[in-house]
Amino acid sequence: MRDPLPIAPLAAPPDATVNVPGSKSITNRALITAALAVGTTTLEGVLFADDTHAMLEALTDLGIEISVDDEAAGVITVVGCGGELPGREVSLDARQSGTTGRFLPPLVALSEAPVVVDGHPQLRARPMDDQIAALRLIGVTVEELGEPGHLPLKIAGPPTGHRVTLRGDVSSQFVTGMLIAGAVPGMDLRLTTAAISRPYLDMTSAVMRAFGATVSEDEGMGWAVGGGYTSPGRYRIEPDASAASYFIAAAAISGGRVRIEGLGRASLQGDVAFAHVLADMGAVVSIQDDAIEVQGRSLRGIDVDLRHISDMAPTLAVVAAFADGPTTISGVGFIRGKESDRIAGPVAELNRCGVLAEETDDGFIVRPDGRVHGATFDTYEDHRIAMAFSLVGLMVDGVAINDPGCVAKTFPSYFAALEQLR
């Protein structure tokens, strides 16, 4: 583990256009659909980070031909298998990647050979019960090799059924994994509870349709998918809206201006809605067709339900620390089961730097008093905690981040990118 990384305060409010890497969520969805497609696909704007390397290596281990363009940044070529995965009996390591660990089980069920899906102890701790039950419902054999309801799993297909029910209030990743793989044999999926993180399911549908699958939705509680996938030839991955959130948050708390290009009204990513949250707090926000710009102003506390953009909760916790008045974040009780407990962690770290915060059943309350001070923040092996709390260091002296390398999960160059604000 590296020594704590100090974060120096900004000498002046930023006035910057910041470049962020490609979307992790779209990258991992596009990789699987391209792998299952008929034909060869060139993916542009690919994110290279631990989470996407986990997916790339897993697909390669399954026998998918993937090549990286050494001359063009973020470009790879995927030779699709036409829905017929090579029958390789392999063990796949999803590392710490939730998308990889939850997208792979339905995918490998299409293989002719049993496949083991495993991951880092942090990923092993995250629940898999609902997806295991869904796979068994369609005739897939799932052997739990460790703690029941968790990775590692040994999975043997093929599916013999086409109708599945699944809870929607645990993780949208379970639903996405079933839908993407389900388009090959055809699947009807119905939720038994309303979906959380709903924009991620809309993103899934958009990527699937871009690769030729048929996706019919029934009032947000069910989908019929089929038709398999056909390569569109080239597919462009937009910048990561979650990564962009840290920079527009920096503008909001510092009184500066930050512009992110490549994201806007047409974005597939629900996390662009974080800009609207900043607007509600008093920032001046412009969302254009292909750009987002935020100008900081005095901020006020708000009450906000983040169930559909829950990855923004740690970032908003930090923004709330610099607001005038309390902020209540609700609807996110399920984020206790993310890479870390994203309710207890932000509350503890806010208290560490002098900000009164308290947990609730489904979120937390931040009660700022204008006396934020420096601290060395713990990050709980969680990239989003590290990136969010680095923003405190832009505003006050004496801030350092423990285990800064954890940002490699989704944004290896984050701390270098932060320097764009200077």
Side-chain angles (χ1 to χ4, degrees):
M1 183 179 294
R2 289 170 51 187
D3 291 335
L5 178 70
I7 307 294
L10 292 168
D15 185 5
T17 296
V18 176
N19 298 312
V20 297
S23 164
K24 175 203 77 173
S25 298
I26 299 177
T27 293
N28 273 356
R29 285 163 172 79
L31 283 170
I32 290 189
T33 50
L36 288 172
V38 174
T40 298
T41 305
T42 298
L43 298 177
E44 302 172 341
V46 171
L47 171 69
F48 291 108
D50 280 356
D51 275 16
T52 54
H53 282 304
M55 182 66 79
L56 283 163
E57 290 177 7
L59 293 174
T60 300
D61 290 345
L62 286 169
I64 301 299
E65 183 181 338
I66 300 174
S67 58
V68 177
D69 188 331
D70 294 328
E71 303 296 325
V75 176
I76 67 172
T77 300
V78 181
V79 179
C81 69
E84 297 182 4
L85 285 175
R88 291 188 176 183
E89 189 169 344
V90 295
S91 181
L92 306 178
D93 182 3
R95 303 189 189 183
Q96 291 174 282
S97 172
T99 53
T100 306
R102 272 88 178 263
F103 294 178
L104 284 178
L107 173 70
V108 302
L110 302 176
S111 175
E112 296 180 356
V115 175
V116 172
V117 178
D118 200 358
H120 183 278
Q122 185 189 64
L123 188 58
R124 284 185 173 189
R126 298 174 69 174
M128 294 289 291
D129 307 73
D130 292 280
Q131 193 171 61
I132 292 168
L135 288 169
R136 287 174 173 162
L137 194 61
I138 54 173
V140 176
T141 300
V142 182
E143 183 180 353
E144 297 162 81
L145 301 179
E147 182 182 350
H150 296 264
L151 297 179
L153 304 174
K154 187 174 185 179
I155 298 159
T160 57
H162 300 281
R163 295 182 180 274
V164 66
T165 55
L166 187 62
R167 287 177 60 183
D169 60 350
V170 178
S171 173
S172 65
Q173 293 170 348
F174 295 148
V175 182
T176 285
M178 297 299 290
L179 290 175
I180 291 176
V184 175
M187 177 181 290
D188 291 329
L189 184 151
R190 178 152 293 275
L191 300 183
T192 58
T193 57
I196 55 172
S197 303
R198 174 67 206 209
Y200 284 101
L201 300 179
D202 296 336
M203 177 197 301
T204 298
S205 296
V207 174
M208 292 173 64
R209 290 185 177 114
F211 282 79
T214 58
V215 182
S216 300
E217 187 174 344
D218 178 16
E219 298 180 349
M221 294 297 290
W223 291 262
V225 298
Y229 299 104
T230 301
S231 171
R234 304 184 79 85
Y235 184 81
R236 179 75 187 176
I237 294 162
E238 63 189 44
D240 193 294
S242 303
S245 72
Y246 307 107
F247 300 96
I248 61 174
I253 64 177
S254 68
R257 181 200 68 88
V258 168
R259 180 180 177 88
I260 308 290
E261 295 185 342
L263 291 172
R265 296 188 195 97
S267 174
L268 299 182
Q269 299 169 79
D271 283 350
V272 297
F274 183 64
H276 294 296
V277 176
L278 297 179
D280 290 343
M281 298 183 79
V284 177
V285 175
S286 172
I287 301 180
Q288 302 156 25
D289 288 342
D290 200 37
I292 297 173
E293 187 168 301
V294 173
Q295 173 73 55
R297 293 285 189 271
S298 296
L299 300 177
R300 56 183 172 267
I302 58 172
D303 292 352
V304 60
D305 185 325
L306 292 185
R307 74 184 64 226
H308 293 308
I309 55 169
S310 63
D311 281 348
M312 300 297 94
T315 318
L316 187 57
V318 171
V319 174
F322 295 95
D324 180 12
T327 291
T328 299
I329 296 169
S330 62
V332 293
F334 60 93
I335 67 175
R336 292 186 184 278
K338 293 279 192 175
E339 286 88 334
S340 70
D341 183 335
R342 288 186 180 163
I343 293 176
V347 167
E349 299 314 304
L350 286 173
N351 288 328
R352 191 188 302 277
C353 67
V355 179
L356 180 62
E358 60 191 85
E359 301 179 35
T360 65
D361 288 343
D362 67 343
F364 49 89
I365 302 172
V366 181
R367 304 182 191 278
D369 62 4
R371 293 184 289 183
V372 184
H373 59 70
T376 297
F377 292 114
D378 287 335
T379 53
Y380 312 92
E381 294 187 278
D382 191 330
H383 57 131
R384 301 221 177 275
I385 303 291
M387 291 187 279
F389 279 85
S390 70
L391 302 179
V392 178
L394 300 179
M395 301 298 295
V396 301
D397 286 314
V399 167
I401 303 296
N402 280 328
D403 190 23
C406 69
V407 301
K409 186 174 191 295
T410 55
F411 198 165
S413 62
Y414 172 74
F415 291 107
L418 203 63
E419 294 303 304
Q420 296 179 64
L421 299 179
R422 304 183 192 278

